[in-house]
Amino acid sequence: MAATSTVEQQLALITRGLTGLDGIAAIRDILAAGKVAKGFWAHIAYFVPLLKLADFVKAGLDVTVLFCDLYAFLVNYKHPLEVVAHRTAYYKFLVRGVLHILGVPDDKVHFVEGSSYELSKEFTLDNYKLSVLTDEQDVRNTGDEYRYATKLSVLPQLGYRKRAHFMNPMVPGLSGSKMSSSVPDSKIEFLDDPETINRKVFNAPCEDGKVKDNGSIISSYTKAGVLEIKLGGGELNSYQSYEEIELDFAQGKLSSSTLKQAVAVALCEILAPLRQIYAKNKEWQFVENLAYPEH
C-alpha cells in the first residue's frame, strides 16, 4: 500500500488548476493500492493542458493523448482526410516537442489517433448503445461538462468502469474573448518569435488591480504556471507562488506593465528551445508545409 502522504501529494499534483473534479475517490483508491492510474486527454493544442500532462507524468500516471483526426475531419470537412493526416503528424511533432522542453521523456506519453478505433465495429455498436441510453435533447442543450458527465454515467451500462473526469479551465484569448484561429493576436502560438510574443502580450488588455474577467494575462498565462516555471526572474524575483503575485496585483503593488514584462520574458524563455527543435527538424518543417499549405 502506498503511504497516504504520497497519495495525497500525487492527487494534489494531478488536480491542481483543474475544475469539475468527478471521481477523485476512485483515483485515490487506485493510487493507495499501489497501482498506476491511467490519464487520457483529448484535443491537445494549448500550453495549459500540456502543463497538466507534465503534472500527470510527475504524479506517476500512465498518460495517453488522443489526436481527434476523424472528429477534426467531420467538424471541418473543407479539408480532405489527407490534409487532416498531415496535421495530425504536425501536432505529434509539436506535442512531443513541448513535452520535451517540459522535461517529459518521450516514452512516458502514448499517442493514439481516433481513426485507429473509431471506425471499428465495436466502437460503432457502443455509439449506438450510447445514443439509446442518453437524452438527445438534454445533451444538445447543455455544455461540454454535462455531456461528458452524461457519457461517464452510462459507461457501466455499456460494460465499462466509470471513469474519473477532470476539466481544465478554458483559457480566454489575449484580447479577453475566446481564442480564435481567425484572430492571430488572440493567442500565443508555440513557434512565435520573441518579437511577436512581446507584441501580443503588451497589446493584451490587463487592467491594474483587477483579477477576475481581466483578459488572460493574469487569469491564465500567469495562473497556469507560466511564471511558476520561470519564477524568480526580473522584477518578480521575490515571489514564490502565483498566489503572492495575484495578491500584490489585486492590491496595486504590482502593475500590469511589470506583470506583462514578466509573462513575456517567461514565454520567450520557455518556447525558445521549442523553436530550436523545430529549426533543426526538417521532417517537421516538411509536414507543416503539407498540413498548412496556405501559410
Side-chain angles (χ1 to χ4, degrees), residues 92-259:
K92 285 182 179 179
F93 279 116
L94 179 62
V95 172
R96 189 175 286 113
V98 175
L99 292 176
H100 177 77
I101 67 175
L102 291 176
V104 178
D106 289 345
D107 61 350
K108 293 297 183 181
V109 177
H110 315 292
F111 290 166
V112 173
E113 297 174 18
S115 59
S116 67
Y117 65 88
E118 290 170 350
L119 298 174
S120 68
K121 175 183 177 181
E122 293 78 11
F123 184 84
T124 301
L125 286 175
D126 278 347
N127 251 336
Y128 284 138
K129 294 176 184 177
L130 185 65
S131 298
V132 171
L133 294 170
T134 54
D135 188 316
E136 180 181 352
Q137 192 62 39
D138 284 346
V139 173
R140 180 182 297 171
N141 290 337
T142 53
D144 287 341
E145 187 168 356
Y146 180 86
R147 285 198 293 271
Y148 278 113
T150 300
K151 291 178 181 178
L152 291 170
S153 67
V154 300
L155 281 176
Q157 299 179 62
L158 298 177
Y160 300 102
R161 185 177 61 192
K162 184 178 179 181
R163 269 54 169 173
H165 177 233
F166 306 153
M167 296 187 70
N168 68 286
M170 292 296 293
V171 178
L174 284 170
S175 59
S177 56
K178 185 179 179 181
M179 287 188 194
S180 173
S181 58
S182 61
V183 184
D185 283 359
S186 69
K187 61 187 183 301
I188 301 292
E189 300 280 4
F190 281 111
L191 298 176
D192 278 348
D193 57 43
E195 181 181 354
T196 302
I197 291 173
N198 277 282
R199 174 177 56 78
K200 289 180 177 180
V201 170
F202 279 98
N203 286 341
C206 185
E207 182 181 337
D208 281 331
K210 185 179 179 182
V211 174
K212 295 183 179 180
D213 302 320
N214 192 19
S216 60
I217 296 298
I218 183 68
S219 65
S220 299
Y221 285 100
T222 306
K223 189 172 185 177
V226 169
L227 289 185
E228 292 274 355
I229 296 173
K230 295 294 180 180
L231 212 55
E235 296 184 52
L236 300 187
N237 57 8
S238 62
Y239 292 100
Q240 300 299 315
S241 69
Y242 164 76
E243 287 73 22
E244 293 179 20
I245 294 174
E246 182 182 285
L247 180 61
D248 273 8
F249 185 78
Q251 294 178 349
K253 298 177 182 178
L254 175 63
S255 69
S256 59
S257 59
T258 299
L259 182 62

